[in-house]
Amino acid sequence: MATEILGHVINVLMLSSIYVLVALGFALVFSIMRIMNFAHGAIYMIGGFVCYNFWVPLGLGPWLSLLATMIVIGAFGLVLERVCFRPFRKDFEKAVIMAIALVIILKTGADLTVGAHSKSMPPIVSGGLQVGPYVIGADRLIVFLIAAALLGGMMLFIKKTRIGQAILAIAQDHDGAALMGINTDRVSALVCALGCALAGLAGGLVGSVLVLHVSIADAMLVKIIAVVIIAGIGSIGGIWAGGLAMGTLDTLGPYFLPNVVSDPLSLALVVLILVLRPQGLFGQET
Amino acid sequence: MNQKITYAVIGLLFLALGFAAQPALAGEPKVLKIGAVDSLTGWMAAGEQPTNDGAKLAAAWINDKGGITIKGVKYKIELISEDAKSSPQGMAAAVTKLVEKEGVKFIIGGVNPVMNTAASSITEPAGVLRLSNYTCATPEESGPQFPLTFFMNSNMQGARPMLTWLKKTHPGVKKIALSHPGDGGGENRRKHLEPIANELGMTIVFSGEWPGETMDFTPFIKKALDKGPDAFVFTDAWAYHVGSQIKALRALGFKGPAISTDSEIVAEVLEVSGPKLTEGYAAASWDMKSPEMKPVFKKDFLKYAQKAGKSNAWLAWGWNTLWVLAQAIEQAQSLNPKVVAGYIRKDAKNIQTLFGPASISGEKTLGAKAALCAPQAIFVVKDGKPAFVKWVRAETP
């Protein structure tokens, strides 16, 4: 029983950390730029395929591939911010249309290039930990540890550095931060790059432990929106709780409930939170 | 008077020109328009784009061989592709355009219950024969109410050969778990698989559906493994679903056999779950690189695919569907969809596919003789590669 629970815990932590990695970028971009980047799921998917190409055809191995993916997708985030988001920062409707257009462009691009092909990378570490009659995949544990380490680093960066403080200041009051001399354009670009890099990394990790396919973009977009709603829009810390909630629901729901109803149930929870606490569990009422 | 003679001469000249041109026109083949409705965009595009490409290759091959002849008249096939956009609305719009604007009487395409139903709602009243690429064998898709709708493959066609192979190679298997996609057809699949499994001395201890967007299959697989199956059976899925589930199966320590009963390309599953974890997995389908494939597959199909720079295994689906329809029209010697439908029901055995002669069945599962099946080859992953086992007769009960 204890080993079974441990298995569930590892699975929850692994999935939750992936959700948090992607949702954090989405939430940061929204907090700083007030842009709902619906393309974030597609960026995560493309990150996975970029990582696959570094890892398998180019043979760079897991660590270099993950790093290279973060750099490439982060650079893509810089371009995205400059070309697609910055011009529409003060126009919410146009920004939404731009984000939707980006989703279509990125997904169609992926359809045309990778198309029907599913890819998967080997586990970062192979083997498993035998606990009683159960085997706990070491790859899942390592994915969680990588994600947790990066997320911890990211939180420290935001809380302890001047740039991090600038990010928080802009999230609280964009114009006020600008008046205080913070270069909001530069910070926005950095946030977009960081958010995309984290999404790219998540794509790479998922490709190793699960599978890569064009359709994972939409599945992830639904999850990150749910995570951000549970957390409360604008609440960076709440993302952890939101991710953990969704990860738990998505891991335990299919196990204890009929599989096809677990997804609608977790989304029903999101609707319930929206109704009872529109600002989310950790968001501030405006 | 002179004017009358001049008109008569001009008239005669036109007549003579007309007669002179006649032989040349007789030598020119006519055009037979066939519609192809596949999802070229949207979430289904990944699987259906290659199918559409395969149909185009088959059209080129048939035309290069001189087209088809009906009652002494040569016809070249003009394949008109319309994007079904991965939605029933898109399918309805595409079929409507083909029927009303292009005036086609024959259509190929459709792969799942929703898309098949949307297409048939237009083709049947319009008197258009449609040969779908696939059926999930749900009651909504087919039956006596759809006399002009046929299916080139079904998710049930590999059930008997694969379960028989499983029992033969793993005689100790008594309990099996079924994994179905979350399309609401799980119970229907179980209903058709159970008698075959029972007949072979196996009982179904788990039968569950998973949503198409499932990211981590671990909880689903764990729930199935809690029932203690000796073997795992995937009834209908894309390769990435199967590969993901194999990964979860092995990660949870399951060492028993895993098979698919639908046409799964073993090489594609290998790409997802890797050689080590996929070892022993088997399915009845085909393989682009196997020397055991039929001559037409190796000589014609692969040559045309190579010329077009394409290598996706699902090209074979589209090729088969168009080729089978073209043969049915030619062998029926009619452009009347009802006559061609009658021919398919009666004489499908005369029709060839890339994998051998076709057969028609489906009375029990589909409620009508509407499933055209081709022989399939069982492949099993051995030493990290798809290994040919044998050709088997595929049939939709």
Side-chain angles (χ1 to χ4, degrees), chain B residues 207-228:
Chain B
S207 176
E209 295 189 5
W210 38 266
E213 62 275 14
T214 300
M215 288 174 63
D216 187 1
F217 279 93
T218 310
F220 172 72
I221 295 291
K222 183 150 174 37
K223 190 158 68 171
L225 293 183
D226 283 352
K227 302 285 182 190

Side-chain angles (χ1 to χ4, degrees), chain B residues 129-364:
Chain B
L129 187 149
R130 185 172 65 93
L131 181 52
S132 167
N133 289 313
Y134 192 67
T135 173
C136 294
T138 58
E140 305 83 43
E141 287 171 275
S142 67
Q145 70 274 34
F146 301 116
L148 295 175
T149 304
F150 294 88
F151 305 92
M152 196 48 230
N153 304 275
S154 88
N155 63 355
M156 289 304 302
Q157 66 184 25
R160 182 171 287 282
M162 283 313 299
L163 288 177
T164 307
W165 177 84
L166 176 67
K167 192 67 192 174
K168 197 179 165 193
T169 52
H170 301 82
V173 170
K174 302 267 184 245
K175 295 179 282 180
I176 59 172
L178 303 184
S179 158
H180 318 282
D183 59 2
E187 264 315 295
N188 193 48
R189 290 184 187 94
R190 180 196 176 123
K191 191 179 86 185
H192 296 302
L193 274 161
E194 197 151 33
I196 303 171
N198 292 345
E199 192 188 310
L200 293 162
M202 296 182 282
T203 48
I204 296 166
V205 292
F206 175 85
S207 176
E209 295 189 5
W210 38 266
E213 62 275 14
T214 300
M215 288 174 63
D216 187 1
F217 279 93
T218 310
F220 172 72
I221 295 291
K222 183 150 174 37
K223 190 158 68 171
L225 293 183
D226 283 352
K227 302 285 182 190
D230 305 313
F232 214 86
V233 178
F234 309 105
T235 62
D236 204 347
W238 290 107
Y240 66 96
H241 294 132
V242 175
S244 299
Q245 290 179 77
I246 289 177
K247 274 183 140 186
L249 271 172
R250 302 305 179 212
L252 289 167
F254 181 72
K255 292 186 171 65
I259 61 162
S260 288
T261 53
D262 63 332
S263 296
E264 207 63 63
I265 307 294
V266 171
E268 284 186 355
V269 176
L270 259 168
E271 263 191 66
V272 180
S273 37
K276 199 176 157 194
L277 303 182
T278 320
E279 190 73 11
Y281 164 75
S285 56
W286 62 95
D287 187 274
M288 297 294 272
K289 292 177 182 164
S290 172
E292 301 291 341
M293 293 291 103
K294 305 287 178 191
V296 67
F297 187 100
K298 290 190 285 187
K299 284 184 190 157
D300 299 297
F301 168 66
L302 287 183
K303 194 177 94 182
Y304 273 72
Q306 200 177 10
K307 207 162 70 179
K310 296 184 188 295
S311 60
N312 191 296
W314 298 98
L315 292 166
W317 253 23
W319 178 295
N320 256 348
T321 309
L322 183 71
W323 186 28
V324 162
L325 178 61
Q327 287 176 83
I329 295 169
E330 190 170 34
Q331 289 175 17
Q333 284 292 291
S334 176
L335 292 174
N336 181 338
K338 283 184 184 166
V339 175
V340 177
Y343 179 84
I344 294 174
R345 284 214 166 81
K346 197 166 156 272
D347 292 309
K349 61 183 181 303
N350 298 333
I351 297 171
Q352 286 298 314
T353 74
L354 284 173
F355 315 122
S359 61
I360 187 142
S361 54
E363 292 97 320
K364 208 168 159 187

